[in-house]
Amino acid sequence: MNTDEFDYYLPEERIAQTPLADRTASRLLVLDKNTGEYTDDSFKNIKGYLKKGDCLVLNDTRVIPARLYGVKKGSGGAIEFLLLHRYSTDEWEVALKPGRKAKVGAEFVFGEGRLCAEVLEILEGGNRRVRFSYDGLFENILEELGEMPLPHYIKEKLQDRQRYQTVYSKYDGSAAAPTAGLHFTNELLAEIEAMGVKLAFLTLHVGLGTFRPVKVTDVTQHKMHSEHFIVSKEAADIINETKKNGGRVICVGTTSCRTVESAAENGLITPKSGETDIFIYPGYQFKVTDALITNFHLPKSTLVMLVSALAGKENILEAYNHAVKEGYRFFSFGDAMFIH
């Protein structure tokens, strides 16, 4: 399976640079995964595609202001940190730009000394394990010095930090938002629950693995970066009950889908927490996921491969080409798809 098979043409102007004022105002492309038929709609009408007995699975992670700009101690050279994974209170895995400046023992300063970091280890893939030192509470300092880690393709400055959080975000830890959830408001979720649709919340802290470009020609040789997830007994019970009663498990976002599939055993969800590096591409047999609400993803990305596994590569690429022609907005702040 060749990576180029998952390519499609996307003009730059189709990449959404800013979020819409109304979260539910996005467009919705509805795709039947079995027939390949698709229809254009509005996200406001998502309720029309849900029914009593279904279950929406939502990722309640919160994005932290994970991007830090500082200087190298001594030389004063500029450095950018992206916090990816917390090992302990003060030790983190970080991605750096430029990476070559960060040998073991190198020290960096942020906010004129409010925060310092020392490189402890160079990790496989080029990231670093660092230890931070500071006075006070790390979260407060990060809130003050850090910036929201918007993807590289968004050039506009984010005016309201909350628009890169879902309304149900709860647990700090992500370097990127689970963007399919950005289309929901509390009011819409309440209306969906009132229809008899259950909501199951789980957590996957989104790292860079999801967005890392696939650099190998053979898809099967790509290695995902691992991410931390938590599935509570309550969430597992709701999902299992839905399956037992013949309802659909509808994952909101690829992160929810990957978490559900990571926690699945014999068609049921097991409450668990840990690391997952699950990579879903065509040929994968879904264990629990029946349907997916998702945004449009980058060409040749692991996420295009995931939706192709669910709906078929030809169906996905045809739907994507239609969305490009019809002026849909793509990626994090863009429009949504419902694959059922």
Side-chain angles (χ1 to χ4, degrees), residues 201-204 227-237 239-240 258-266 268-278 287:
F201 293 95
L202 40 70
T203 309
L204 179 132
E227 296 162 312
H228 188 69
F229 74 94
I230 303 161
V231 178
S232 66
K233 183 177 184 304
E234 183 187 2
D237 287 348
I239 294 167
N240 291 337
R258 290 174 61 242
T259 306
V260 159
E261 295 298 311
S262 296
E265 290 175 20
N266 304 319
L268 292 175
I269 298 295
T270 308
K272 58 165 71 170
S273 65
E275 303 295 312
T276 180
D277 61 357
I278 190 171
K287 302 177 182 79

Side-chain angles (χ1 to χ4, degrees), residues 281-299:
Y281 53 86
Y284 178 85
Q285 296 297 310
F286 286 86
K287 302 177 182 79
V288 174
T289 306
D290 296 305
L292 180 68
I293 294 169
T294 186
N295 282 16
F296 293 91
H297 305 295
L298 277 77

Side-chain angles (χ1 to χ4, degrees), residues 199-259:
L199 305 183
F201 293 95
L202 40 70
T203 309
L204 179 132
H205 292 315
V206 189
L208 280 194
T210 315
F211 306 100
R212 186 172 277 169
V214 179
K215 291 180 176 166
V216 291
T217 307
D218 178 358
V219 167
T220 62
Q221 298 306 303
H222 178 71
K223 293 281 184 286
M224 294 287 280
H225 193 82
S226 73
E227 296 162 312
H228 188 69
F229 74 94
I230 303 161
V231 178
S232 66
K233 183 177 184 304
E234 183 187 2
D237 287 348
I238 293 169
I239 294 167
N240 291 337
E241 192 73 15
T242 301
K243 286 303 249 194
K244 195 175 86 181
N245 295 334
R248 293 176 301 170
V249 172
I250 302 165
C251 291
V252 176
T254 55
T255 62
S256 297
C257 173
R258 290 174 61 242
T259 306

